[in-house]
Amino acid sequence: MGRPRTRDAVPDMRSHIVTAATSLFEGQGYANTTLRQVALAIDMTPAALYYHFPAKSDLACALVEPYLDELESLPMGRGEAPRNAEEVCALVGAYLDVLVRHRVVARLVSCDISLCLEDELRPRVEAVEHQMVTALVGRRPNIERRVRGVAALGAALAGATRLSPTPQVKEHLLATVLAAAALPEAQT
């Protein structure tokens, strides 16, 4: 006789599916991974997987939404612009922390364009990127400032997702991101 189902079984199974899918997406790409492959990776029938995720885009959203939710909870995601160097520093530090906590998903979102082409995700990803660049360089930057802001975000993303997340690395990464955006460092 099997174990009785509890209310917690469905969220646990969804989490298990998302974890398996993340591994497959990271290894072979979002576009090259099928729901059938995800099901087989966890010894589940495709029909059982479809119960939890009727479409591949539903699985993509379950994977990426916690990352985007956390980014959107940062001050720039709430439409609050930093007013001084200390606030910019704090925002960039918080942004780096989110990238480190969600490093695999952040890397997938930035490197696998097919994942971000999902209609449900694209507007949110673009909005978060735009809000962060705006927080760094202002609402109407000239082309040089805009390029610096985008480069700074690229440095943050690459560093946070590819380097060991030690306090020393974060300190240097924060300084690099601020320098790339041509912003002064906050006085400590």
Side-chain angles (χ1 to χ4, degrees):
M1 182 179 259
R3 193 173 69 161
R5 279 186 84 127
T6 65
R7 278 198 271 193
D8 294 336
V10 171
D12 286 346
M13 182 53 69
R14 286 179 60 89
S15 177
H16 185 57
I17 293 166
V18 169
T19 299
T22 302
S23 180
L24 288 170
F25 295 162
E26 190 175 28
Q28 61 192 40
Y30 177 74
N32 296 326
T33 303
T34 65
L35 287 179
R36 179 174 178 75
Q37 290 170 322
V38 174
L40 293 174
I42 55 175
D43 296 324
M44 176 182 266
T45 66
L49 186 134
Y50 293 137
Y51 169 78
H52 297 282
F53 297 101
K56 190 172 162 184
S57 61
D58 297 321
L59 184 53
C61 288
L63 169 67
V64 177
E65 281 178 343
Y67 166 65
L68 291 176
D69 289 347
E70 199 166 340
L71 286 174
E72 290 167 345
S73 75
L74 295 175
M76 58 81 191
R78 297 189 310 262
E80 300 169 18
R83 294 178 298 273
N84 55 48
E86 285 75 23
E87 286 185 11
V88 170
C89 237
L91 173 62
V92 173
Y95 180 72
L96 291 172
D97 289 340
V98 172
L99 293 176
V100 167
R101 272 193 298 281
H102 297 276
R103 64 188 312 141
V104 171
V105 175
R107 191 170 38 245
L108 282 169
V109 167
S110 69
C111 296
D112 191 340
I113 192 70
S114 61
L115 178 64
C116 290
L117 291 177
E118 289 293 351
D119 290 338
E120 298 87 351
L121 296 175
R122 185 178 56 242
R124 288 182 70 190
V125 169
E126 290 173 353
V128 164
E129 289 172 353
H130 176 75
Q131 290 163 346
M132 191 64 193
V133 170
T134 299
L136 288 175
V137 298
R139 294 202 183 278
R140 293 189 178 92
N142 62 27
I143 189 68
E144 177 187 356
R145 300 266 310 141
R146 184 124 189 97
V147 168
R148 285 182 171 278
V150 170
L153 281 190
L157 185 61
T161 61
R162 289 177 171 80
L163 299 172
S164 298
T166 66
Q168 186 177 20
V169 167
K170 182 182 175 188
E171 179 183 330
H172 288 293
L173 190 53
L174 180 59
T176 300
V177 169
L178 294 174
L183 298 169
E185 292 184 47
Q187 301 301 316
T188 54

